Amino acid sequence: MERSHHLYLPKLSYAPMGHVYGAPYSEHPTTGHSKPEQIEEMVAQQLHHLKMHYADEEQRYVDQMILENPIVVERRVAPPPPAQPASDPSPSTSSGHRGGVARSSADSKDAQRQRAESCRKSRYNNKIKKARLRFRHKFVSGQLQKSAEMLDTMRSVIAQAERQLVERGLPRSVLEQMRRSHGLDVAMQQ
Amino acid sequence: MENYSHKKFTGALKRKRSQDEESDDDVVFVMEQPGQRTPEQPQSKRPSFFRPWLDESQPEEKQPQPPKKIATTTSTPASVRQMDATYHPNMVRSHKRRQRSPQEQLRRDRNTLASLRHRRSQQQQQQLIEQQYLSSRIQHEANLEQQIRLSLYYVRFLQQTMATMEPLAPTHHQQVPRFQTTTTTQHP
């Protein structure tokens, strides 16, 4: 039976990542005082996992929002029919030398239509970009708030545990040293 | 979608536009069809950005060129200086110069400036949102790192120490930390 000393994470979507927090403990069950380098390596590894997780969640959220709020760009005229002999999208049609006024006006019409299509596509893509940015911003704001709250909770619990240890006679210097080795701010909360 | 009607083609403007040239003729593909330049536009007169505060000095760097972002180095009023910085050359339209009455030209100028200002403010808004997003994300990732360190500290040190140290009084055993754990021992 595995001993899982994991943190309870109620608010974030990090519940599936709970094993990440507990992983180093289960890997080194008897270490009391690890070297700071090992700790840094563990921190870097877990941070990378959490960042990847965040990126996935963000992408999923944005895609979901775009699906729920589809972007529409209207047309003024009916879309061009697909079977058109002159509607060659390659650059060769728009370059130089054509004989006859009738042909040139047809070409200019084609070019005009092509430009209108490009313009429309560009407008659509820009709208999509703007919407994606809006949703990304919304997502990160929510996540930031949650992580800040979680941090406050964790700090208060840790402060309580530290107080208990000090009451039981643990020297503060030991706490300070352990905080330092974990890369934490040495100043205690009270 | 077939019923879409833009105000440009309806209402009061319809009469005026019908008096002017046909809109088709205005579309001169200066870049794409060099062999078919209309005689009214000599080769040297390239389309350039509308900057009425400049006299005749339309600098070369403002003409449509492959570089996407055109930075201006000429003197412009401070209020509109930043507007020039990031416009794409494809935004410049290549229509024939129309003959307009001074009143109409004034109206056109005001509209053009207003649209430039609006576009610029929209750009700035988007940039602001982008900056906020980036700084929020950095802050969030910093929070995550702190969470990792704090949890390692707690699990690896504090919990262990709590378990190994002798308690002061029995009441301490009943305190359940908010970190939900399956600890090794629970004293009765």
Side-chain angles (χ1 to χ4, degrees), chain B residues 44-174:
Chain B
S44 57
K45 193 172 183 182
R46 306 282 290 172
S48 53
F49 288 122
F50 171 70
R51 300 289 177 270
W53 55 87
L54 301 172
D55 295 333
E56 296 85 4
S57 55
Q58 298 287 349
E60 294 303 311
E61 60 262 29
K62 286 193 179 163
Q63 293 166 8
Q65 283 172 8
K68 285 199 172 254
K69 311 291 187 190
I70 292 179
T72 179
T73 55
T74 59
S75 62
T76 58
S79 59
V80 294
R81 190 188 308 269
Q82 292 308 311
M83 274 197 255
D84 301 355
T86 55
Y87 285 115
H88 194 285
N90 282 350
M91 287 175 76
V92 179
R93 293 270 69 95
S94 34
H95 298 291
K96 273 195 271 191
R97 290 267 170 120
R98 289 189 189 191
Q99 295 303 317
R100 288 193 178 105
S101 68
Q103 189 194 18
E104 202 177 298
Q105 187 59 46
L106 181 66
R107 205 179 297 149
R108 286 307 322 143
D109 290 352
R110 277 205 217 125
N111 179 261
T112 307
L113 285 174
S115 75
L116 284 174
R117 271 197 302 270
H118 181 254
R119 265 191 231 132
R120 184 54 185 168
S121 79
Q122 293 289 91
Q123 275 181 2
Q124 284 170 342
Q125 261 180 38
Q126 289 299 105
Q127 280 169 9
L128 188 63
I129 294 175
E130 177 83 38
Q131 279 164 18
Q132 280 178 357
Y133 164 78
L134 288 172
S135 68
S136 296
R137 182 149 177 184
I138 288 168
Q139 182 61 49
H140 176 62
E141 287 178 350
N143 287 356
L144 290 181
E145 186 178 340
Q146 275 300 103
Q147 283 177 22
I148 293 167
R149 291 184 188 278
L150 287 170
S151 69
L152 282 176
Y153 172 61
Y154 183 82
V155 168
R156 294 163 59 85
F157 172 63
L158 290 179
Q159 262 191 343
Q160 237 189 340
T161 313
M162 290 266 263
T164 55
M165 281 183 75
E166 289 188 7
L168 277 176
T171 53
H172 283 277
H173 303 308
Q174 272 77 47

Side-chain angles (χ1 to χ4, degrees), chain A residues 2 35 60 116 127 146 168 172 175 177 186 188:
Chain A
E2 176 189 340
K35 291 180 211 164
R60 218 182 297 177
K127 267 192 165 181
K146 287 177 184 174
R168 293 184 191 183
R172 279 188 194 272
L175 282 181
Q177 193 207 340
V186 173
M188 305 284 188

Side-chain angles (χ1 to χ4, degrees), chain B residues 31-49:
Chain B
M31 310 295 284
E32 294 151 20
Q33 296 179 359
Q36 282 203 347
R37 280 187 154 282
T38 57
E40 290 91 318
Q41 275 197 335
Q43 192 74 25
S44 57
K45 193 172 183 182
R46 306 282 290 172
S48 53
F49 288 122

